[in-house]
C-alpha cells in the first residue's frame, strides 16, 4: 500500500518549498505540486489539482491532498466532486499545510495507507490547540511595578509587532507580563488579539522592573513604526 | 418561449462582455473588503469560457446542460480565486438539472435553485453573511414566486432580486470569506461576489432575445 501527497497552494513557490521540505524526510514518497493558476500565477485551478492527482495515482495506490487557504480547499473539493473515479483513493486532509505535509510524508514513508497518512496530517493540527496561558513566575515578595498602556497602532499586536516586542522583552532580562501573558512569548502576545485602542497592563517585579515596564510601555505607545 | 443551448451560449458571451466592463468596479469593491482580484479573476474566467465555447462547435442536439457543464469546468480551471470553484459548482449543479434541449419556466427555476444549492454546498455560507449567497438566494426565491410567468419573466424576477440582494449587502458585516477578516470594517461596502451574481443574472435575461 503506497500513498502519495499532492500539495495545493495559491503559490507555486509555497507548494514547491513544502515539497522540498517534506521530501527530505520522506525520499520514497511521491509528493506533487498542484499549485497556482494555469499560467503559474497566484491562485488555484481544478486542472492543476486534477493533473497532479492523476500523476500521483500512477505512482501510488492512494493520494492525500493538503491545501492552504480558502479557495485552495474549495478547488480541491470541486476536483473531488468532478472525478467520480477517484472514490476512496483520493482524500483531502484538514490539516496545517507545512506541518501536516511533513507529518503525512513521514507516515507515508513508513507505508501508511490513505487513512493513516491523512490522520497523521490532521493530528499535526492539534499542535495549534491553544495552550493554557503559562503562569508567570511566582510574584516576588515586593509589590509589582505596573502601568497601563493603550495599543497605538491600528492593527495592534499582530505577528510583526508581537515578535518585535517579545524580542525586546527577552533582551531586557526581566520577566514582564503584558495583558497577563508572558511578554517574551510571541505566540502568547499574538493570542491576546490586542488591536489598536486596547488597554493592556504591563507588569514586572524586582530589580530593573521600573525601567523594564517603562521600556515596554514606550514600545507599545510608539506603535512599532506603523501609522 | 423556451430557452435552448443557443440561449446559454449567448448568455455566456454577454456575461463575459458585462463582466469585462465591470472588471475595475468589481476589483475596486474587492479591494475595499477583500484581496482585489474578483474582477480580474472573473474577467479571465469568462474570457476563457467564451474561447472554449467558440472552440467547441454546437451539435444540433446540444442541451443547455452541456453548455453549462463546459462553463463549469472552464471556470474551475481558469478563475484562480474562490469564485472559480463557487461559480463552477453553481454551473455544474445547474448543468445536472438542465440536460435537455429546451427549458420551460419550471426548468429555469430548477436551474437557479440548483446553482444556489451548489454555491451553498461549496462555500458553506448562508443568507446574511455578506457573500454571493445574498444575491443567489433572493434570486432563486423570486424565480420560484414567478412560476406563472414566461421563462423571460422568471429570469427577470431572479435578476431584479439578485440586484436588490447585492445592494442589501452594503450594511452587512461579513462573517464568511475573505472579507470576514475585516469584521465590522466590512460594513459599508457592497459584496463583490453578490454584485457579480447580479451582473451574471442580468445578462441571462438580456440573452433571452436574439441580439
Amino acid at each position: 500500500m503506497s500513498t502519495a501527497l499532492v500539495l495545493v497552494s495559491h503559490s507555486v513557490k509555497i507548494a514547491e518549498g513544502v515539497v522540498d521540505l517534506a521530501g527530505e524526510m520522506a525520499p520514497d514518497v511521491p509528493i506533487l505540486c498542484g499549485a497556482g493558476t494555469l499560467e503559474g500565477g497566484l491562485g488555484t485551478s481544478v486542472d492543476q489539482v486534477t493533473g497532479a492527482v492523476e500523476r500521483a495515482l500512477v505512482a501510488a495506490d492512494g493520494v492525500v491532498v493538503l491545501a492552504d487557504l480558502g479557495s485552495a480547499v474549495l478547488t480541491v473539493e470541486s476536483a473531488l466532486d468532478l472525478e467520480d473515479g477517484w472514490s476512496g483513493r483520493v482524500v483531502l486532509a484538514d490539516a496545517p499545510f507545512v506541518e501536516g505535509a511533513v507529518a503525512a510524508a513521514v507516515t507515508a514513508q513508513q507505508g501508511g495507507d490513505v487513512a493513516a497518512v491523512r490522520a497523521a496530517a490532521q493530528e499535526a493540527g492539534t499542535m495549534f490547540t491553544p495552550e493554557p496561558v503559562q503562569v508567570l513566575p511566582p510574584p516576588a515578595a515586593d509589590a509589582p511595578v505596573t502601568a497601563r498602556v493603550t495599543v497605538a497602532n491600528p492593527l495592534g499586536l499582530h505577528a510583526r509587532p508581537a515578535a518585535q516586542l517579545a524580542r525586546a522583552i527577552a533582551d531586557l532580562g526581566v520577566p514582564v507580563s503584558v495583558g497577563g501573558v508572558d511578554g517574551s512569548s510571541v505566540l502568547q502576545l499574538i493570542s491576546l488579539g490586542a488591536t489598536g485602542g486596547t488597554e493592556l497592563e504591563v507588569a514586572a517585579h524586582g530589580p530593573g522592573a521600573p525601567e523594564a515596564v517603562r521600556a515596554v510601555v514606550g514600545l507599545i505607545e510608539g506603535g512599532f513604526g506603523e501609522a | 418561449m423556451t430557452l435552448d443551448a443557443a440561449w446559454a451560449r449567448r448568455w455566456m458571451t454577454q456575461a463575459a462582455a458585462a463582466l469585462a466592463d465591470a472588471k475595475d468596479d468589481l476589483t475596486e469593491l474587492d479591494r475595499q473588503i477583500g484581496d482585489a482580484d474578483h474582477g480580474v479573476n472573473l474577467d479571465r474566467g469568462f474570457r476563457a469560457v467564451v474561447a472554449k465555447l467558440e472552440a467547441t462547435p454546437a451539435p444540433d442536439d446540444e442541451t443547455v446542460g452541456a453548455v453549462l457543464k463546459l462553463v463549469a469546468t472552464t471556470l474551475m480551471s481558469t478563475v484562480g480565486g474562490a469564485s472559480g470553484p463557487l461559480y463552477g459548482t453553481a454551473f455544474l449543479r445547474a448543468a445536472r438539472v438542465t440536460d435537455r434541449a429546451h427549458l420551460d419556466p419550471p426548468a429555469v427555476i430548477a436551474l437557479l435553485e440548483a446553482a444556489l444549492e451548489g454555491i451553498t454546498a461549496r462555500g458553506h455560507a448562508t443568507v446574511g453573511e455578506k457573500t454571493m449567497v445574498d444575491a443567489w438566494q433572493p434570486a432563486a426565491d423570486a424565480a420560484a414566486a414567478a412560476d406563472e410567468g414566461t421563462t423571460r419573466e422568471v429570469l427577470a424576477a431572479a435578476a431584479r432580486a439578485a440586484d436588490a440582494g447585492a445592494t442589501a449587502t452594503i450594511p452587512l458585516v461579513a462573517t464568511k470569506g475573505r472579507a470576514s477578516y475585516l469584521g465590522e470594517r466590512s460594513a459599508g461596502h457592497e459584496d463583490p461576489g453578490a454584485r457579480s451574481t447580479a451582473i451574471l443574472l442580468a445578462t441571462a435575461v438580456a440573452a433571452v432575445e436574439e441580439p
Side-chain angles (χ1 to χ4, degrees):
Chain A
M1 195 68 181
S2 62
T3 305
L5 302 184
V6 167
L7 304 182
V8 180
S9 170
H10 289 66
S11 156
V12 175
K13 285 183 183 172
I14 288 178
E16 286 179 347
V18 179
V19 166
D20 283 351
L21 183 67
E24 196 169 55
M25 299 176 206
D28 303 321
V29 177
I31 307 177
L32 289 91
C33 168
T37 62
L38 288 177
E39 298 82 25
L42 289 178
T44 54
S45 159
V46 163
D47 277 7
Q48 298 282 37
V49 174
T50 304
V53 169
E54 293 288 352
R55 291 197 302 282
L57 282 172
V58 172
D61 302 317
V63 175
V64 173
V65 184
L66 286 100
D68 64 356
L69 301 171
S71 83
V73 175
L74 300 186
T75 297
V76 173
E77 288 174 349
S78 298
L80 289 168
D81 241 18
L82 283 172
E83 303 291 336
D84 299 335
W86 292 350
S87 60
R89 292 189 299 154
V90 183
V91 298
L92 172 64
D94 179 15
F97 197 62
V98 178
E99 293 82 353
V102 168
V106 171
T107 300
Q109 177 74 27
Q110 293 159 355
D113 61 11
V114 162
V117 171
R118 173 159 72 170
Q122 297 191 161
E123 202 181 327
T126 61
M127 285 174 55
F128 298 95
T129 308
E131 288 174 34
V133 170
Q134 279 176 21
V135 179
L136 290 165
D142 53 332
V145 178
T146 65
R148 295 196 73 80
V149 59
T150 302
V151 175
N153 58 318
L155 291 177
L157 297 182
H158 63 95
R160 193 193 60 84
Q164 196 181 333
L165 186 58
R167 278 198 307 274
I169 289 175
D171 288 347
L172 289 170
V174 178
V176 179
S177 73
V178 177
V181 304
D182 178 0
S184 65
S185 161
V186 61
L187 290 180
Q188 290 191 26
L189 288 175
I190 292 172
S191 74
L192 290 172
T195 50
T198 306
E199 199 174 88
L200 297 171
E201 187 178 72
V202 179
H205 289 277
E211 294 78 9
V213 168
R214 258 203 309 280
V216 170
V217 167
L219 267 173
I220 297 173
E221 282 180 340
F224 306 96
E226 293 179 357
Chain B
M1 185 191 320
T2 60
L3 304 179
D4 56 9
W7 161 75
R9 284 172 172 262
R10 285 197 303 275
W11 176 16
M12 288 304 115
T13 308
Q14 297 194 17
L19 288 167
D21 284 346
K23 179 171 80 167
D24 292 345
D25 291 342
L26 290 172
T27 292
E28 176 58 20
L29 286 177
D30 197 26
R31 191 186 62 72
Q32 288 164 348
I33 62 172
D35 50 1
D37 61 4
H38 191 61
V40 175
N41 283 348
L42 282 188
D43 182 44
R44 177 173 55 233
F46 278 85
R47 254 178 227 277
V49 164
V50 169
K52 185 87 178 177
L53 288 171
E54 282 172 357
T56 311
D60 288 342
D61 57 351
E62 188 173 42
T63 65
V64 175
V67 175
L68 300 186
K69 172 100 192 278
L70 206 62
V71 174
T73 53
T74 307
L75 290 178
M76 286 182 185
S77 295
T78 57
V79 168
S83 50
L86 289 169
Y87 278 128
T89 306
F91 278 103
L92 192 65
R93 300 287 170 97
R96 286 179 188 161
V97 299
T98 55
D99 193 24
R100 51 168 102 175
H102 295 278
L103 305 185
D104 53 10
V108 173
I109 294 168
L111 183 164
L112 292 166
E113 286 175 344
L116 167 66
E117 190 256 333
I119 285 184
T120 52
R122 182 65 65 234
H124 310 290
T126 54
V127 166
E129 295 180 317
K130 201 177 182 91
T131 70
M132 54 174 72
V133 173
D134 290 318
W136 279 103
Q137 180 75 57
D141 291 346
D147 62 347
E148 304 280 308
T150 63
T151 51
R152 189 182 197 287
E153 285 162 357
V154 171
L155 278 177
R160 276 194 305 274
D163 184 61
T167 305
T169 63
I170 293 174
L172 296 179
V173 172
T175 52
K176 273 276 170 14
R178 190 69 67 94
S180 64
Y181 297 171
L182 290 174
E184 298 285 337
R185 281 180 292 144
S186 64
H189 302 286
E190 187 172 43
D191 179 66
R195 176 47 55 197
S196 61
T197 296
I199 294 170
L200 189 63
L201 292 180
T203 57
V205 184
V208 172
E209 267 87 34
E210 298 274 358

